[in-house]
Amino acid sequence: MQSTSGLAFITEGGVVSVLVALILLTMSVLSWYFILVKSWQVFKRKRDVSAYVRQFWRKATLQEALQEAQLQSPAFRLALTAVESTQHHQQYASQSLAAACSQDEFIARQLRRTLSQEQAVLESGLSVLASVGSVAPFVGLFGTVWGIYHALTAIGQSGVATIDKVAGPVGEALIMTAIGLAVAIPAVLAYNAFIKANRGIMAELESFAQDLHTLLTTGAPLVIKAGNKPANVTELHAKVASKGGNV
């Protein structure tokens, strides 16, 4: 009987208590849904970014690096954006446009736009976790206040105000606060973990974008490690630097 007293309190608390319980249940379902979905998304994107960046610098040419299409990898989309923006500027930029916006600036703008899009995808759903973590304790507290009011009103009507009669209903009312905390705590912890993981992914993508920008504007990566130097740096530099050339 004692194990079901909390559920009995919710149903006996009237429409308000039931509504509060349903709101908390909805928040819990939403938060755990996004926790599971975002966990898989963060794991997959981190793995795809690291894998493609390693493969990219092992290739001798940009053509070889882009032949292995990995559309699910944000790093691949960055590389594709960088190359396509370079080709677009070389083919369509007039003399006046080139003076107003150089190829260097044009590539940087397109890379920033792609980075912003990837960041928006990573941050999708986090607002739900933040809202649940902030609101759920107060929803539970409201349910507790209403439950205590309802319990004390019932005790006042019965005319019995001994400790053993008061402690039960009031203790059951506090269950709402416990439920609110149980809903909020996982959401807050998951939100902080995702923020940290997203920062790591974006830092790696921004570093890769800077390396791409350097490669496409100078013809060689900024830092050349042993065995990672493209075989056609001179040819690549000539194609990038010359107007109308194809990367």
Side-chain angles (χ1 to χ4, degrees), residues 11 20 23 34 36 45 82 86 92 101 118 120 174 204-205 222:
T11 56
V20 170
I23 292 175
F34 280 107
L36 295 176
R45 285 180 177 269
T86 302
Y92 299 107
C101 180
E118 296 299 334
L174 294 175
E204 188 170 4
L205 285 175
L222 181 62

Side-chain angles (χ1 to χ4, degrees), residues 114-124 198 202 205-206:
T114 303
L115 285 172
S116 298
Q117 293 173 348
E118 296 299 334
Q119 186 173 7
V121 173
L122 287 173
E123 292 179 352
S124 62
N198 289 347
M202 288 306 302
L205 285 175
E206 289 173 0

Side-chain angles (χ1 to χ4, degrees), residues 144 147-148 151-152 155 165-175:
T144 294
I148 291 175
L152 293 178
I155 291 172
K165 298 297 183 181
V166 175
V170 173
E172 291 173 2
L174 294 175
I175 292 176

Side-chain angles (χ1 to χ4, degrees), residues 16-37:
V16 175
S17 294
V18 174
L19 182 60
V20 170
L22 290 177
I23 292 175
L24 290 175
L25 178 61
T26 302
M27 287 183 174
S28 179
V29 172
L30 284 176
S31 65
W32 279 106
Y33 169 78
F34 280 107
I35 287 172
L36 295 176
V37 171

Side-chain angles (χ1 to χ4, degrees), residues 40-115:
W40 170 248
Q41 182 189 61
V42 168
F43 169 77
K44 191 173 185 302
R45 285 180 177 269
K46 183 175 180 61
R47 181 190 61 185
D48 292 344
V49 168
S50 299
Y52 184 78
V53 170
R54 287 195 301 268
Q55 293 179 8
F56 182 88
W57 295 116
R58 290 173 182 171
K59 301 299 181 181
T61 64
L62 283 174
Q63 291 83 353
E64 292 182 12
L66 295 178
Q67 281 177 356
E68 299 181 0
Q70 298 182 11
L71 298 178
Q72 299 301 322
S73 175
F76 172 79
R77 291 192 287 271
L78 269 179
L80 190 61
T81 297
V83 173
E84 289 180 346
S85 60
T86 302
Q87 294 174 338
H88 180 85
H89 189 277
Q90 292 174 350
Q91 293 176 9
Y92 299 107
S94 62
Q95 294 296 331
S96 59
L97 178 60
C101 180
S102 64
Q103 178 175 292
D104 176 29
E105 183 180 356
F106 185 75
I107 296 174
R109 288 180 179 179
Q110 299 306 313
L111 288 174
R112 283 195 297 269
R113 185 181 68 176
T114 303
L115 285 172

